[in-house]
Amino acid sequence: AMEVFRLLDADESMSVDKDELLQGVKGKEVSTFLKDCGNPFLQELLVPSRLERAMNELDTDSDGSISIEEWEEAIEAALQTKLNQIAAERARKRAQAKKERDKYAAEVLVLARQVFAMLDVDEGGTLSHDEVTNGVENDEDVVKFLINCGNADLAALLKPKKLKKALEELDVDNSGEIDSEEWEAAVMKGLEK
């Protein structure tokens, strides 16, 4: 920013007047900086019809030129504007990502409930070890869900050597069966990773 000011300050007076601006904005380095700086008044220096207005906004002491202090104030304002824009964009992206994660989680939860219902062949509202074992051995949809759910404990149900331990991990209340709350908690745990 200071280099651009020096490029504009042709007479090295530590201030830039209208004539110096008119000449200086023709340079590529100056025009590129002004386009990208984020300060609308600095950007308007590039438009001859708006130059007077922009000069008046930047020339806070109304002496007809932009001093180095006034330039620095404008640059600081531009920097703050850019930082605010970046922060707003990050916040927007975070909100969008959260919305997408929440939507995905809701979709997975619907699938998890469907898989739970497929496994719960006796419709008792809980999954016995036999129901889970039968489902992982014989139901293709159950297998697909367990492979893709993102939870290592659920995926371990597909490995005969790890099945018993996985069932114990899922059975948080040690009732001998997995209820829907334990099942959904395991699925949500996988989504948090």
Side-chain angles (χ1 to χ4, degrees):
M2 294 313 299
E3 179 61 28
V4 171
F5 184 85
R6 283 192 266 293
L7 289 171
L8 290 170
D9 185 17
D11 64 6
E12 299 179 0
S13 64
M14 300 303 283
S15 65
V16 177
D17 61 27
K18 186 175 178 177
D19 291 334
E20 287 175 311
L21 277 172
L22 285 170
Q23 287 304 313
V25 296
K26 293 177 183 175
K28 183 171 177 53
E29 189 175 350
V30 172
S31 64
T32 300
F33 174 81
L34 293 175
K35 284 178 193 171
D36 297 338
C37 73
N39 183 309
F41 297 114
L42 288 173
Q43 291 168 339
E44 286 188 355
L45 294 174
L46 294 168
V47 182
S49 63
R50 297 182 185 162
L51 182 66
E52 196 71 41
R53 178 175 165 255
M55 281 278 306
N56 290 338
E57 286 294 328
L58 298 171
D59 181 16
T60 56
D61 63 8
S62 302
D63 69 353
S65 65
I66 301 169
S67 68
I68 195 161
E69 292 83 11
E70 291 166 329
W71 180 261
E72 287 174 344
E73 287 174 19
I75 297 302
E76 286 175 18
L79 179 58
Q80 190 59 52
T81 298
K82 277 284 192 192
L83 291 174
N84 291 343
Q85 289 170 343
I86 291 168
E89 181 62 16
R90 284 183 180 157
R92 186 194 66 73
K93 286 180 179 179
R94 277 193 302 272
Q96 181 64 30
K98 182 184 181 324
K99 183 179 175 182
E100 289 172 11
R101 278 192 311 272
D102 291 348
K103 180 182 177 198
Y104 176 73
E107 291 169 358
V108 170
L109 201 51
V110 166
L111 287 174
R113 289 174 180 151
Q114 290 171 350
V115 169
F116 186 91
M118 287 188 277
L119 290 170
D120 187 17
V121 291
D122 69 1
E123 297 180 5
T126 59
L127 302 178
S128 68
H129 291 210
D130 289 340
E131 286 176 314
V132 174
T133 303
N134 185 46
V136 299
E137 290 175 354
N138 301 313
D139 192 320
E140 216 174 280
D141 290 331
V142 170
V143 172
K144 283 181 190 175
F145 175 80
L146 295 174
I147 289 171
N148 296 314
C149 71
N151 183 293
D153 292 332
L154 291 175
L157 295 172
L158 298 171
K159 299 174 183 169
K161 290 181 180 179
K162 295 185 177 185
L163 181 61
K164 184 176 183 201
K165 182 167 176 28
L167 288 169
E168 289 170 1
E169 291 289 324
L170 294 172
D171 184 16
V172 178
D173 66 3
N174 297 316
S175 66
E177 295 192 335
I178 301 163
D179 63 34
S180 62
E181 287 180 15
E182 291 168 323
W183 180 262
E184 289 179 17
V187 170
M188 294 312 286
K189 180 180 171 187
L191 290 174
E192 291 170 4
K193 292 180 182 178

